[in-house]
Amino acid sequence: MQEDALLTYFSEDLIKEITVPEKFTFPFFYEPHPLAKIAVKELQNYLEKQTDLDHNFGLSPNQNGLIIGKMFGVLVVEDTEGKLGYLSAFSGKLAGANIHHKFVPPVFDMLTENSFFLTEEEILNSINQQIEMLESNEAYVQLKTDFKHFSEQASRELKDFKIQLKQNKAQRKKLRESQKLILPEEEYVFFEGDLIKQSLRDKHELRVLENYWQEHLNTISAEIKTYDEQIENLKQERREKSSGLQQQLFEQYSFLNQYRESKSLGEIFRDTVFGKPPAGAGECATPKLLHFAFQNQYKPLSMAEFWWGASPKSEIRKHKHFYPACSGKCEPILKYMLGGIETDENPFLNNLGKDKLLEIIFEDNFLVVVNKPFNLLSVPGIHIKDSVYSRLKAMFMTIEPLIVHRLDMATSGLLVVAKTKDTHKHLQRQFLKQTVVKEYSALLSGVISQEEGEINLPLRGDLDNRPRQLVCFEFGKKAITKFKVIKRNENRTKVHFFPLTGRTHQLRMHAAHQLGLNTPIVGDDLYGTSDERLFLHARHLEFTHPKTGERMLFDKEEDF
């Protein structure tokens, strides 16, 4: 495949009124440049019409195969002659392959025939087969069954025998007491000697029984151990070969920057908190695109990534929606690759809440209730220190505010903050026992049919893409939200949310996820699309005053 064939040039008439971007896209939060939008539209038209890809995106009910939606990316570039065009890529593999017409190749193609990866993978598969054969070996399975059966039988027999010995002992005690009263002393000494012999015989028989079962079980256990050792040796060999293969792959994935300097995945991630690359690092669309551009001396101008196909079960991905590059896998790579290239401003460094007022709703010697404006942090962040906490600390002077619960930066509404440790502890206990009543207003970006209901979707953090959350039925924490529709218009729905738990992004996830309301909150730039603000407001808060025992109720209506 020729490199020039992968660069799609723009029609001059289509872009003649569009200004070329002065700075490259900030990959982790962006509004696509008009040139990138044109490129995306053309790529999406291609995807809708193409018939070459044997891949089920979940868009056609008649298509066979596992449904797998994909992230696609475009990179607008200037070639060596100053002409504008774009490159296309997909994340991971497509239809089980790395190389496809129109898309740039991976940085390293592990699926190349006779590659070290396939050779090592064949060895690993052979080891897996050996492990499976041993684990399913009839003799091994029978030995484990026998060991379990005889262990249970030994336990029963020993238990029954000990009960009998206990009864024998009690009987001997009664005989001692009764015979001591009626037998002459010499005869009683002889009689008691016989009882002692019975006791010793019981103990001897118990030891014999215990030894019998111990030897029998040890014999079976030793036979099982020979299989276990073979299996463990194979597993250890698999771990070592897998680790070695992974390290070899890390070195093969070597990325270029604009100076055509090369750096491997292992080097890039060595000094990060991860220490080593997470699974799938280097397979995302944007690193592929930039590497290919630098390889061919194209100048990167802007990028955009979008989802194509059905949403996965755990994440929130909407067909044709734009998404930023992932933080866990891509941020260290792109930081290196974009070194020396001026990008758009990082919005995460801007304090969007600096001019917004923090309204005090209630205050006494024990606590304060505030109305947090949207875009103000609840607690200081890594880059921005301005927050509810820092403002209250400055206001109280001699009192350290103690945060009991939080609202997302983009969420507005009611927060209670403790002034004393006892108050903080008491309020925390109320939150844990779910005796605190919270109610939120939200504007959804579509019309939902239900009038009210309950959403029960467990959540956990997306370790590769913080702060995003995932629905996870295996490891997620319980998250339950009740909702009620307040009003509808042509394309939006206003609802009240009643969270029964307090998980990170709970309302945003429950609104946006396909198993929830499948309708993101307006302005949710993580799980939906950006707007002037996130239309989510904590409107009602109810708790028991830690000192007076009075039930405290606070309301602050939303302004949307």
Side-chain angles (χ1 to χ4, degrees):
M1 188 182 298
Q2 292 186 348
E3 281 75 8
D4 290 345
L6 298 176
L7 177 57
T8 304
Y9 288 100
F10 290 112
S11 164
E12 293 293 334
D13 291 338
L14 201 59
I15 65 170
K16 62 183 179 182
E17 301 296 330
I18 300 176
T19 304
V20 174
E22 296 179 2
K23 300 176 182 178
F24 188 71
T25 313
F26 178 71
F28 306 104
F29 192 97
Y30 62 88
E31 172 64 27
H33 186 272
L35 288 173
K37 286 184 177 180
I38 292 172
V40 165
K41 186 176 180 181
E42 289 186 5
L43 179 55
Q44 290 179 349
N45 286 338
Y46 167 78
L47 290 171
E48 284 174 344
K49 296 173 183 177
Q50 65 78 33
T51 56
D52 299 333
L53 297 175
D54 185 20
H55 187 99
N56 187 1
F57 293 103
L59 300 175
S60 173
N62 301 320
Q63 193 167 357
N64 296 323
L66 186 66
I67 294 174
I68 304 175
K70 277 286 167 187
M71 195 73 78
F72 286 83
V74 297
L75 181 69
V76 177
V77 298
E78 180 182 271
D79 72 6
T80 53
E81 296 178 357
K83 292 180 66 178
L84 298 183
Y86 65 91
L87 301 167
S88 306
F90 50 83
S91 292
K93 299 176 186 64
L94 194 58
N98 282 324
I99 307 296
H100 290 280
H101 168 71
K102 194 175 176 62
F103 299 102
V104 304
V107 175
F108 169 69
D109 188 359
M110 66 180 75
L111 301 181
T112 302
E113 189 176 356
N114 298 323
S115 70
F116 76 86
F117 175 80
L118 292 181
T119 302
E120 290 295 317
E121 188 177 47
E122 195 172 325
I123 295 171
L124 286 171
N125 288 338
S126 173
I127 294 172
N128 287 333
Q129 288 171 7
Q130 292 177 64
I131 292 171
E132 287 174 13
M133 286 176 64
L134 281 169
E135 289 179 336
S136 60
N137 181 282
E138 287 185 15
Y140 178 55
V141 172
Q142 187 61 51
L143 283 168
K144 291 199 293 184
T145 302
D146 289 347
F147 187 82
K148 182 182 179 183
H149 169 73
F150 288 126
S151 293
E152 291 171 352
Q153 184 179 342
S155 179
R156 286 195 304 271
E157 287 190 14
L158 287 168
K159 181 181 178 182
D160 292 343
F161 196 80
K162 286 176 181 177
I163 290 172
Q164 182 61 53
L165 295 189
K166 191 174 182 181
Q167 291 172 349
N168 291 348
K169 184 178 180 181
Q171 182 64 27
R172 287 194 293 272
K173 183 180 179 182
K174 285 183 180 179
L175 287 171
R176 281 191 182 92
E177 291 172 353
S178 62
Q179 295 303 310
K180 192 170 187 178
L181 297 173
I182 60 176
L183 288 177
E185 186 175 344
E186 289 183 4
E187 289 185 30
Y188 179 76
V189 170
F190 178 80
F191 177 77
E192 187 178 32
D194 186 56
L195 291 180
I196 291 171
K197 288 178 183 178
Q198 292 178 32
S199 175
L200 292 173
R201 185 170 62 250
D202 282 355
K203 290 177 182 178
H204 172 70
E205 289 178 358
L206 176 62
R207 283 196 300 274
V208 169
L209 186 61
E210 286 174 337
N211 290 338
Y212 166 77
W213 279 118
Q214 189 64 51
E215 289 175 9
H216 190 51
L217 292 173
N218 283 347
T219 300
I220 300 173
S221 182
E223 292 183 63
I224 291 173
K225 189 177 179 182
T226 60
Y227 285 95
D228 286 342
E229 286 176 347
Q230 292 179 67
I231 292 169
E232 182 53 40
N233 288 338
L234 286 168
K235 286 183 176 180
Q236 180 61 30
E237 183 183 358
R238 182 177 62 183
R239 282 193 291 269
E240 290 172 0
K241 283 191 174 293
S242 181
S243 177
L245 177 58
Q246 194 173 54
Q247 289 302 319
Q248 202 172 352
L249 281 173
F250 291 163
E251 297 309 313
Q252 292 296 324
Y253 276 88
S254 196
F255 296 87
L256 294 174
N257 60 16
Q258 66 166 333
Y259 308 112
R260 297 178 66 79
E261 298 167 338
S262 184
K263 202 169 189 179
S264 71
L265 265 182
E267 292 176 295
I268 289 171
F269 278 87
R270 195 164 293 146
D271 296 327
T272 67
V273 292
F274 299 96
K276 63 180 182 179
E283 289 288 316
C284 295
T286 300
K288 285 184 185 180
L289 290 164
L290 286 169
H291 180 79
F292 187 85
F294 295 139
Q295 207 171 36
N296 293 278
Q297 299 182 50
Y298 299 147
K299 179 183 177 182
L301 299 176
S302 69
M303 56 74 66
E305 291 188 6
F306 64 90
W307 183 260
W308 188 263
S311 177
K313 292 181 179 179
S314 58
E315 296 178 87
I316 293 174
R317 293 282 188 257
K318 304 293 183 182
H319 182 52
K320 292 187 176 184
H321 280 212
F322 290 107
Y323 290 94
C326 61
S327 57
K329 295 178 184 178
C330 290
E331 191 167 11
I333 300 172
L334 295 182
K335 183 180 179 181
Y336 163 72
M337 297 186 82
L338 294 174
I341 294 177
E342 191 174 7
T343 65
D344 292 331
E345 190 177 47
N346 179 354
F348 301 119
L349 301 179
N350 295 333
N351 181 11
L352 302 176
K354 64 181 179 180
D355 297 323
K356 298 183 182 296
L357 296 177
L358 180 65
E359 181 185 4
I360 304 296
I361 303 295
F362 172 86
E363 183 180 5
D364 64 13
N365 292 331
F366 306 97
L367 56 88
V368 58
V369 177
V370 302
N371 176 33
K372 185 186 86 66
F374 68 89
N375 287 340
L376 178 67
L377 290 165
S378 293
V379 296
I382 296 173
H383 304 293
I384 300 170
K385 302 307 175 186
D386 184 26
S387 61
V388 171
Y389 168 84
S390 58
R391 291 191 187 186
L392 289 179
K393 187 176 182 181
M395 186 186 304
F396 295 157
M397 299 293 286
T398 59
I399 298 175
E400 178 81 13
L402 300 169
I403 300 295
V404 182
H405 63 127
R406 303 180 188 183
L407 296 176
D408 290 347
M409 183 183 78
T411 305
S412 59
L414 296 168
L415 267 179
V416 57
V417 180
K419 286 186 172 183
T420 70
K421 289 183 178 180
D422 285 343
T423 301
H424 181 257
K425 188 175 181 180
H426 195 291
L427 288 171
Q428 274 194 323
R429 195 180 304 120
Q430 291 185 53
F431 274 96
L432 288 172
K433 291 184 176 180
Q434 298 179 3
T435 59
V436 176
V437 177
K438 297 173 287 180
E439 183 181 331
Y440 292 74
S441 287
L443 196 59
L444 305 183
S445 57
V447 179
I448 63 172
S449 58
Q450 309 100 304
E451 292 298 329
E452 58 183 77
E454 181 177 288
I455 304 162
N456 187 345
L457 294 174
L459 303 175
R460 70 169 177 84
D462 184 346
L463 301 180
D464 290 331
N465 206 5
R466 298 177 185 275
R468 294 178 67 92
Q469 301 294 301
L470 298 173
V471 168
C472 180
F473 290 94
E474 186 175 3
F475 301 110
K477 293 181 179 179
K478 182 172 74 172
I480 302 173
T481 305
K482 291 188 175 183
F483 69 91
K484 183 177 181 180
V485 170
I486 303 304
K487 65 179 180 180
R488 299 179 179 88
N489 59 27
E490 288 183 4
N491 54 13
R492 290 183 175 179
T493 307
K494 187 172 185 178
V495 298
H496 283 171
F497 282 127
F498 309 89
L500 304 186
T501 52
R503 307 300 176 205
T504 301
H505 295 179
Q506 177 174 317
L507 301 182
R508 297 165 72 172
M509 283 290 290
H510 282 180
H513 197 272
Q514 59 180 335
L515 298 178
L517 297 179
N518 199 26
T519 313
I521 297 171
V522 175
D524 191 342
D525 52 33
L526 274 179
Y527 308 109
T529 54
S530 298
D531 207 300
E532 61 190 87
R533 63 158 292 184
L534 174 68
F535 284 78
L536 179 63
H537 176 80
R539 68 189 305 272
H540 176 80
L541 183 63
E542 184 178 333
F543 58 88
T544 300
H545 195 287
K547 188 67 176 178
T548 66
E550 179 187 356
R551 196 65 179 167
M552 310 290 286
L553 281 71
F554 300 96
D555 291 284
K556 185 66 180 181
E557 290 295 316
E558 64 279 4
D559 57 4
F560 55 82

